[in-house]
Amino acid sequence: MAIKTAKTKWRDVVLVCKKCQKKVDGGFGPDGDKTLKKALKTYLRPGDGKGRKAELAVIQTGCFDICPKNAVVAINASNPKALLIVPTGADLFEVKARLGLDDGRRLKPTLTVVGED
C-alpha cells in the first residue's frame, strides 16, 4: 500500500492536555464555561473552516506529566520546547500571544499618555 498525504490549511497546531482539561472542567472563555480547546477554537479562530479546512488546529493529547492544579498544559507544535501552563480564567489574547499564534486580527494598540509640558 502506498503512503498518501492529506492537505490541510493549518497554520498552527496547538496540543492541549486532555487530562488537565478533564480535571479543570471548563474555566475558559468570557463566561468561564468552556474548555481551553473549545475556547481557543471559538474565540481565536482566524477563519470559518473546520477540521482540515481551519487555519488553527487545537488537538487534545495525552498527559505531559506536569499536572498543574487549576490549569491546563498547552503547547504550540511549532515551538515544542515551551510548554505553557494556562491557569483557569486566563485572558485568551494573552494565551494566544504566549503560544505564538496569529489569528489574523490585530490587537488594539495600547494607549500612551503624553505629558503636557
Side-chain angles (χ1 to χ4, degrees), residues 8-20:
T8 70
K9 292 185 178 181
W10 297 346
R11 289 189 314 194
D12 293 298
V13 177
V14 175
L15 304 175
V16 179
C17 179
K18 183 177 181 178
K19 186 176 175 183
C20 289

Side-chain angles (χ1 to χ4, degrees), residues 4-43:
K4 297 180 181 181
T5 61
K7 294 184 180 183
T8 70
K9 292 185 178 181
W10 297 346
R11 289 189 314 194
D12 293 298
V13 177
V14 175
L15 304 175
V16 179
C17 179
K18 183 177 181 178
K19 186 176 175 183
C20 289
Q21 285 196 128
K22 188 175 181 180
K23 286 183 356 183
V24 170
D25 191 31
F28 298 96
D31 299 326
D33 61 343
K34 298 193 180 312
T35 63
L36 181 59
K37 176 184 174 181
K38 285 192 179 197
L40 287 174
K41 284 181 134 184
T42 303
Y43 299 107

Side-chain angles (χ1 to χ4, degrees), residues 65-112:
D65 292 329
I66 294 178
C67 302
K69 291 187 179 189
N70 298 319
V72 176
V73 177
I75 184 171
N76 187 334
S78 66
N79 185 13
K81 293 183 179 183
L83 291 169
L84 189 64
I85 299 171
V86 184
T88 56
D91 179 55
L92 292 176
F93 286 106
E94 182 179 353
V95 174
K96 177 191 93 148
R98 293 289 202 91
L99 286 171
L101 301 176
D102 178 19
D103 68 352
R105 293 183 283 184
R106 293 176 47 184
L107 293 177
K108 293 179 182 176
T110 57
L111 290 175
T112 55

